[in-house]
Amino acid sequence: MRSPDGHLIDPNAGVSGKEIADTVQCCHCGMHIQVTKDTWKNTGWCLNCNKVRCTKKKCQSCVHWEKRMEAYEKTETEKRRLRLAFDSV
Amino acid sequence: MPKYHIDGTDTNTDNTTMGYVSAHATVPRRTRIHDIILGSRVAPVDQAVGYEFSRITAENGAPGGTALTPVPLDPADAAATNKPRSAPTGEPTYGGGIVLYIPLHQRPTMRWVSAKEGAELVTPAVADDGIGILSDTPTTAFAMIWGMDFEE
């Protein structure tokens, strides 16, 4: 594969290991998908990001995983801050 | 960003966590896992298993197992804030989906490395959030060893 996002390696094969497979990362959730000859039947392509995306429902809308994570961090941190404030009352 | 190494061992009973990394409760930081190694050193037999790397949203109140101390790859680096654990007896709460799935036989050792910067397995900077290794349907459970390199 020309531009993989990860490699699966058998470290005991040969002198410095042997690459078994490549992985590609979903641009919307960050999941790595092992590349096989059937991978392309089960993955999508985001025309906006120009990258592979997985078939999960939440990944059909174009939101980059880092943006999603930032939003999650913001809401979770606020939620926990409020919970702590509520517990101390 | 400083890099750290952790490793642990556990029996891969179906649907149990063998180890995890989770952010600090008060000073959470993002963790980027860039190298994972999975293997077994018990007498070789034909067993198959799958390993799910899934997102954790909360640690168990009584996690049990062994608290791991991440080893800085550069000795000059400060201690990690992350609080990883091996062979926990109290299961953490999973949510947010699988980020990597590795189907594996017992005999070989398998290593996953991220190919480029930005393709690591990233955990959010939220208290107790992280990534756990979950065993999926082993034919017969056996002792396995795992290792991870991460930066934070």
Side-chain angles (χ1 to χ4, degrees), chain B residues 3-4 11 26-27 29 40 45 57 69 79 83 98 102 108 112 119:
Chain B
K3 291 176 179 167
Y4 301 91
T11 303
T26 49
V27 279
R29 283 167 135 188
S40 176
V45 279
T57 53
T69 307
K83 42 187 181 61
I98 301 169
I102 302 178
W112 174 86

Side-chain angles (χ1 to χ4, degrees), chain B residues 36-109:
Chain B
I36 295 165
I37 194 156
L38 298 162
S40 176
R41 61 178 180 197
V42 295
V45 279
D46 288 326
Q47 304 295 351
V49 63
Y51 297 111
E52 283 178 14
F53 289 80
S54 299
R55 292 196 188 283
I56 292 169
T57 53
E59 219 183 339
N60 194 299
T66 313
L68 302 171
T69 307
V71 180
L73 297 188
D74 180 347
D77 284 332
T81 61
N82 206 294
K83 42 187 181 61
R85 200 164 275 274
S86 169
T89 47
E91 289 293 312
T93 310
Y94 285 93
I98 301 169
V99 285
L100 178 67
Y101 187 85
I102 302 178
L104 192 61
H105 197 267
Q106 188 218 320
R107 290 171 191 262
T109 300

Side-chain angles (χ1 to χ4, degrees), chain A residues 13-78:
Chain A
V15 181
S16 55
K18 186 185 171 192
E19 197 186 316
I20 305 292
D22 287 328
T23 60
V24 285
Q25 191 177 29
C26 169
C27 56
H28 297 161
C29 70
M31 180 175 87
H32 278 261
I33 305 152
Q34 192 174 326
V35 179
T36 63
K37 64 181 168 65
D38 293 328
T39 301
W40 312 112
K41 293 178 188 168
N42 309 315
T43 50
W45 187 267
C46 177
L47 294 171
N48 202 21
C49 302
N50 205 20
K51 280 181 182 167
V52 173
R53 66 162 174 81
C54 70
T55 48
K56 282 200 282 285
K57 203 177 170 186
K58 71 170 184 182
C59 294
Q60 284 175 9
S61 57
C62 180
V63 185
H64 193 266
W65 66 263
E66 205 147 10
K67 215 167 206 182
R68 229 180 261 263
M69 194 170 279
E70 277 165 16
Y72 173 77
E73 283 171 349
K74 213 171 173 184
T75 49
E76 278 300 307
T77 310
E78 188 61 17

